[in-house]
Amino acid sequence: MAEKIEVLIPEEKVTERIKELGEQISKDYEGKEIHMICILKGGVFFMVDLSKRVSVPVSLDFMSVSSYGNGTKSSGVVRIAKDLDESIEGKDVIIVEDIIDSGRTLYYLMDILKKRNPNSIRLCTLLDKPERREKDVTVDYVGFEIPDEFVVGYGLDYAQNYRNLPYIGVVKGVE
């Protein structure tokens, strides 16, 4: 591999911010139970660490979605490759995502999930690229706002590589 990875957010900062998010979520949901939905594959690393930092009861579920179109361009039409294992009706749901940029996939996914009658639904992302936003999605919990760079690590990949890096890095030398 010819790519060079430059550290954007070191492991210590990622760990500290996840702890802070867990504390905030615990405070916001005091006396309640949370049902976290991880968007596969990238969100797994984040959701596992986040759920360990939440002090209220947590249940977990997983979805795999893709937004397909011609080649690498997202159409914004969501195809559910793996749906939830259980109903979210009446539950306080937090969707856990690794990164949000255009917001197209999450916009449609939120619409789909709201129709399943959860008690509440919020969105938590490790990384947010607001300057790339095309659809208006409300992100309730943000780990880090980042510039429009191609990032890897902590679940994010480049051709299925680098997910296991313990930090967030910027890929250099890739067009």
Side-chain angles (χ1 to χ4, degrees):
M1 287 181 214
E3 306 87 45
K4 181 179 185 320
I5 311 296
E6 291 180 5
V7 177
L8 178 65
I9 306 168
E11 180 178 6
E12 302 75 33
K13 280 193 171 182
V14 172
T15 301
E16 181 58 33
R17 185 65 185 129
I18 291 171
K19 182 177 178 240
E20 292 168 0
L21 287 170
E23 289 168 357
Q24 184 62 53
I25 290 168
S26 299
K27 192 173 136 197
D28 292 351
Y29 286 88
E30 193 173 336
K32 297 180 180 179
E33 293 183 20
I34 303 170
H35 189 68
M36 288 186 173
I37 298 173
C38 175
I39 307 304
L40 296 171
K41 297 176 184 171
V44 170
F45 290 76
F46 178 42
M47 186 168 84
V48 167
D49 283 348
L50 180 63
S51 65
K52 291 188 289 186
R53 302 292 182 209
V54 172
S55 60
V56 299
V58 175
S59 57
L60 308 176
D61 208 341
F62 301 86
M63 284 187 94
S64 180
V65 297
S66 64
S67 165
Y68 57 92
N70 52 347
T72 58
K73 265 300 216 196
S74 166
S75 67
V77 176
V78 175
R79 183 180 66 81
I80 298 175
K82 187 231 172 282
D83 206 340
L84 299 173
D85 291 332
E86 51 189 86
S87 169
I88 60 170
E89 188 169 347
K91 294 182 179 181
D92 290 304
V93 172
I94 298 178
I95 297 172
V96 180
E97 183 65 290
D98 54 357
I99 189 168
I100 300 174
D101 48 36
S102 73
R104 293 170 110 194
T105 301
L106 265 296
Y107 179 84
Y108 289 102
L109 182 61
M110 293 285 280
D111 188 52
I112 290 165
L113 292 177
K114 283 176 185 172
K115 292 175 181 166
R116 297 182 184 186
N117 301 316
N119 182 50
S120 68
I121 189 163
R122 288 187 172 170
L123 183 54
C124 178
T125 188
L126 179 60
L127 304 174
D128 189 14
K129 287 186 187 179
E131 68 186 73
R132 297 240 333 177
R133 199 76 85 243
E134 294 173 18
K135 286 287 189 180
D136 186 25
V137 286
T138 301
V139 186
D140 303 282
Y141 303 100
V142 176
F144 299 94
E145 201 171 283
I146 63 168
D148 188 13
E149 300 267 12
F150 190 80
V151 292
V152 295
Y154 216 83
L156 294 137
D157 73 298
Y158 172 63
Q160 294 296 332
N161 293 305
Y162 308 116
R163 284 190 196 278
N164 61 321
L165 294 176
Y167 57 85
I168 305 297
V170 176
V171 178
K172 298 293 184 182
V174 174
E175 295 301 316

